[in-house]
Amino acid sequence: MNPETEYREGLEELASHYKQIITLLGEDTERDGLLKTPMRVAKAMQVLTRGYTMDARKVLTDALFKEDYNHMVIVKDIDFFSLCEHHMLPFYGKVHVAYIPNGYITGLSKIARVVDIFSHRLQVQERMTMQIRECIDETLHPLGVMVVVEAKHMCMQMRGVEKQNSITTTSEFSGAFNQAKTRQEFMNLISHTSL
């Protein structure tokens, strides 16, 4: 989906609901600045949730190469933006992914695409971390996978406890990363990064 030219079915209905929401919030949707807002928001929401229409496993298999490399491959500092499913407010940060190939590698950009696909859905950070790891595990069948996600959550910054500088870190790992030494090597290699 090209977010600038293609939108999913239901766009007009979505815009109609946003018009009603804006009215319920106490605004005048006929006011000059709000005339096009319902459609703008509907389009934005379709872009922000385009991950529902994409197959992350296919992305990985489209660039699958036989290779006898069996050491850690790390793609770190992958920027992401997502929407918290509890308040539909953004959370954002960085994802770090490592895998140890078992006969096959994938294109490096495909790892970042997998992150984009799962982050462009209504999410919780914990599930997103797990989905990225599971997708790589089940598609590439590597010797191990580890995913670390560091994020700031607008639902904590703008409402509720209103803590501006808190960062939430989640991790998921499998295979060779069950060994503390392998996990530590990965953590050492990504440790210089911060939000």
Side-chain angles (χ1 to χ4, degrees):
M1 173 174 144
N2 178 343
E4 298 305 316
T5 58
E6 298 174 28
Y7 295 96
R8 301 192 304 269
E9 195 175 315
L11 185 65
E12 293 290 337
E13 187 177 357
L14 194 57
S16 170
H17 287 295
Y18 277 115
K19 184 173 183 175
Q20 187 177 8
I21 289 168
I22 293 167
T23 300
L24 288 170
L25 291 174
E27 264 292 358
D28 174 12
T29 55
E30 300 306 312
R31 183 165 66 77
D32 199 33
L34 291 175
L35 279 173
K36 296 181 180 178
T37 298
M39 182 55 75
R40 285 190 197 107
V41 176
K43 287 179 177 180
M45 289 304 290
Q46 282 203 353
V47 170
L48 294 172
T49 60
R50 68 180 180 257
Y52 290 119
T53 65
M54 300 174 172
D55 184 346
R57 287 166 179 77
K58 185 175 183 329
V59 165
L60 290 176
T61 57
D62 281 351
L64 198 60
F65 308 102
K66 185 151 183 54
E67 195 62 54
D68 290 330
Y69 185 81
N70 63 356
H71 297 281
M72 201 180 300
V73 176
I74 300 173
V75 183
K76 63 182 182 176
D77 296 333
I78 302 167
D79 292 318
F80 82 92
F81 299 89
S82 191
L83 289 175
C84 161
E85 69 180 32
H86 299 141
H87 303 98
M88 290 180 67
L89 289 171
F91 67 99
Y92 61 95
K94 296 199 180 290
V95 178
H96 315 287
V97 177
Y99 76 99
I100 300 173
N102 187 17
Y104 289 91
I105 61 170
T106 190
L108 296 175
S109 68
K110 304 308 179 188
I111 301 292
R113 289 283 308 275
V114 167
V115 171
D116 280 348
I117 289 169
F118 288 116
S119 66
H120 281 82
R121 298 176 182 186
L122 298 181
Q123 276 291 12
V124 294
Q125 182 175 335
E126 298 86 345
R127 182 190 318 118
M128 186 182 85
T129 307
M130 184 176 60
Q131 288 174 329
I132 295 166
R133 197 266 312 147
E134 284 177 347
C135 177
I136 295 167
D137 237 350
E138 294 169 5
T139 308
L140 299 181
H141 307 289
L143 298 174
V145 179
M146 185 158 179
V147 177
V148 172
V149 178
E150 301 171 296
K152 289 189 172 188
H153 291 251
M154 297 302 281
C155 58
M156 282 184 67
Q157 294 177 302
M158 295 175 66
R159 54 159 304 283
V161 295
E162 296 184 14
K163 299 302 178 204
Q164 305 308 310
N165 297 308
S166 63
I167 296 173
T168 302
T169 303
T170 50
S171 68
E172 269 280 324
F173 53 87
S174 66
F177 289 95
N178 284 309
Q179 298 173 24
K181 180 180 173 185
T182 309
R183 283 196 311 275
Q184 190 57 52
E185 179 185 350
F186 173 61
M187 295 306 287
N188 289 343
L189 289 167
I190 67 166
S191 66
H192 80 280
T193 59
S194 63
L195 292 176

